[in-house]
Amino acid sequence: MNLPPKVTPRAFERLSEIGAAGDGKALRVAVDGGGCSGFQYEIALDEPKDDDLVLEGDGQKVVVDSISLPFLANAVIDFSEELIGARFVINNPNATSSCGCGTSFSM
């Protein structure tokens, strides 16, 4: 059984800090073909659509479209602040390999 992705409190907190919900936006996490490893993540602020899976917390929303959902089963969407920068990251147990920057992966 595939479980939907999970979103950490830190990711919802960051969305709250940037005021996404106040602008009617959600964090969209999608998977597209391409990238150096076969698939790549697309992460952007967007308006939720009718067929999206909506994950809510702290008054904020993260949305995943139905095509991307199988690729993100059991994944964890987080926000990371490191010396190299701050960004939303996906910890995906379905990925068999990924590129160095973490935006591209293969299954």
Side-chain angles (χ1 to χ4, degrees), residues 35-66:
C36 55
S37 295
F39 295 100
Q40 61 188 3
Y41 298 114
E42 289 192 13
I43 301 173
L45 292 178
D46 193 11
E47 295 180 8
K49 296 181 174 59
D50 290 337
D51 66 338
D52 287 336
L53 169 71
V54 179
L55 306 164
E56 295 186 65
D58 197 24
Q60 304 297 313
K61 295 179 182 177
V62 174
V63 296
V64 179
D65 64 86
S66 59

Side-chain angles (χ1 to χ4, degrees), residues 53-96:
L53 169 71
V54 179
L55 306 164
E56 295 186 65
D58 197 24
Q60 304 297 313
K61 295 179 182 177
V62 174
V63 296
V64 179
D65 64 86
S66 59
I67 294 171
S68 299
L69 193 55
F71 297 101
L72 295 168
N74 302 316
V76 176
I77 300 163
D78 196 6
F79 184 76
S80 173
E81 289 186 88
E82 300 173 359
L83 290 176
I84 59 171
R87 62 188 175 124
F88 288 97
V89 294
I90 317 271
N91 297 315
N92 191 341
N94 305 303
T96 56

